[in-house]
Structures are given as structure tokens and as C-alpha cells.
Amino acid sequence: YWAKCLSRAAPARSYLEHRRIWSEDLAVRYGIGFAPGGTRTRAWLLKKGFTADQVTSSGLVNSRGLDFFFGRITFPLVESGDVVNIYGRSLHDQYKHSYLPARRDVIFNIENVDSDQVILTEGIIDAMSLIIMGFGNAVSALSVHLTQHQVDILAARTRRVTIAFDGDDAGAKGAASVAEALRGKGVDVRVFADAAGQDINSL
């Protein structure tokens, strides 16, 4: 439903185009959508046969039936074929990016990578920037602070990881910490350092 909403949401597509990560093929492949707001998501779910209690308890709508992710571009976070959370990317600075109160310790795109080498980015937008340029082995940790679960996933599936976090102090400190953890698991680690201090998307 949200994927169909994205196809009709010009501001959302314009945002993705501005960040240079818009592609209909990629939108379909990654299940990217747009939550329209109001009670439209609730109405669609009820029409599909879900009960009002199920819809509310899912966290997708609040107690008034309003869309939790209203006005946000949505990215499913998938692990072992299951959607374990949703990342909602706000179009405007006044609204925060959002997740459901559920697991976030996944590696975005790792299940689509057919290689033992990955480029690890901080955010999904950064990973998508590389993917659309042809670097299909770009993945995202959703943070500079990896959980042990995320470290274990990378160690089990990769031989080499190139860390390409944001070029700020938090990114540098996070990269050093992640590199140490991965090297402790026997992974060959390289760190991309951007002297200009940008993130991958802005670069």
C-alpha cells in the first residue's frame, strides 16, 4: 500500500530525486514506500481483514488511528526474509526520522549482497547512494554503534568490510570502534576517511 502511495506522492519522489537515489526499480526491489498520513493506512489494513486491535498494536497507527509514519518515506528492515522494523525518513527537518519500537539491529541490504566484501555505511540513504551507482555490496548499520548481533552478522558473511561512516567526529569514533570489533572476529577492515567531513550521500 505504501509503495503505491509513493508512486503518487510527488514530494516524496522529489526528495529521493534531490538526494539522487530515486529509481523505480530500486523502489520496488527494496519495498520503499510513503506513509500518506491521516487514517488512510488504518482504513486499508481494516479492509484487508485486520482487526482494529491488531492495527493499533502493530504500532503503525496511534490510538486515534492516525498514521505513525505520516509524511515519511518508508524502508522495510529485513532479516532472514522477515520485516523486523520500518525506517521512516522524514521529508522535513521539523519531523524526526522514525522507527517502530522494535528491533533495529539489522544490517540493511546484507541479504541482497552476493559478495564476501561489503561497504558499511552509517545510514540507509548513504547505502542507497552507493547501490544506485552500482555498488550493490553497500550495506547500512543504521548507526555508528553496532550491536554484537550486527558484528556477528558481518563477521559471518564477509571477509572484508570497508567502513564509510559520516565524516564527523561521531563517524570517526564509531568507525574506529566497529573496526576493532570486526578485526577481533578476523575480518579485514578498511576505513574510508573523508577529509571534507561529508557523508556518503552528500559526497
Side-chain angles (χ1 to χ4, degrees):
Y1 172 65
W2 285 345
K4 290 181 180 178
C5 290
L6 178 62
S7 69
R8 301 190 295 264
R13 293 199 313 278
S14 294
Y15 177 88
L16 295 172
E17 288 169 358
H18 175 71
R19 303 304 292 264
R20 299 193 176 187
I21 56 172
W22 169 248
S23 158
E24 287 193 23
D25 290 342
L26 283 186
V28 171
R29 179 179 180 186
Y30 290 96
I32 303 172
F34 179 73
T39 59
R40 283 170 282 185
T41 295
R42 180 180 186 274
W44 185 85
L45 289 168
L46 292 176
K47 189 180 296 184
K48 285 292 180 180
F50 293 97
T51 67
D53 287 342
Q54 286 175 321
V55 173
T56 302
S57 64
S58 72
L60 297 175
V61 303
N62 64 20
S63 59
R64 295 183 295 162
L66 299 176
D67 202 333
F68 175 73
F69 286 109
F70 73 98
R72 291 173 174 84
I73 298 168
T74 57
F75 295 83
L77 304 183
V78 180
E79 184 174 273
S80 300
D82 295 324
V83 176
V84 299
N85 208 328
I86 305 272
Y87 171 57
R89 180 81 181 189
S90 176
L91 303 183
H92 307 288
D93 292 339
Q94 63 262 42
Y95 298 119
K96 294 181 178 180
H97 309 315
S98 300
Y99 296 87
L100 292 175
R103 286 188 50 212
R104 291 169 50 176
D105 60 340
V106 302
I107 301 293
F108 175 77
N109 194 46
I110 191 68
E111 296 191 4
N112 295 314
V113 173
D114 185 21
S115 171
D116 62 357
Q117 302 183 40
V118 302
I119 305 170
L120 178 65
T121 68
E122 185 173 327
I124 286 179
I125 300 299
D126 296 321
M128 294 297 294
S129 300
L130 292 172
I131 291 167
I132 203 166
M133 292 177 67
F135 296 94
N137 64 332
V139 301
S140 171
L142 316 176
S143 171
V144 297
H145 304 291
L146 272 67
T147 66
Q148 188 60 52
H149 178 65
Q150 289 173 308
V151 170
D152 290 343
I153 290 174
L154 288 170
R157 301 187 65 147
T158 64
R159 178 177 59 84
R160 173 180 291 167
V161 173
T162 300
I163 301 173
F165 286 171
D166 293 0
D168 54 16
D169 288 342
K173 291 177 181 177
S177 176
V178 172
E180 181 180 5
L182 289 172
R183 285 171 180 147
K185 291 280 189 176
V187 179
D188 178 23
V189 179
R190 299 180 179 187
V191 178
F192 170 74
D194 174 27
Q198 301 179 84
D199 61 30
I200 290 297
N201 179 259
S202 62
L203 181 66

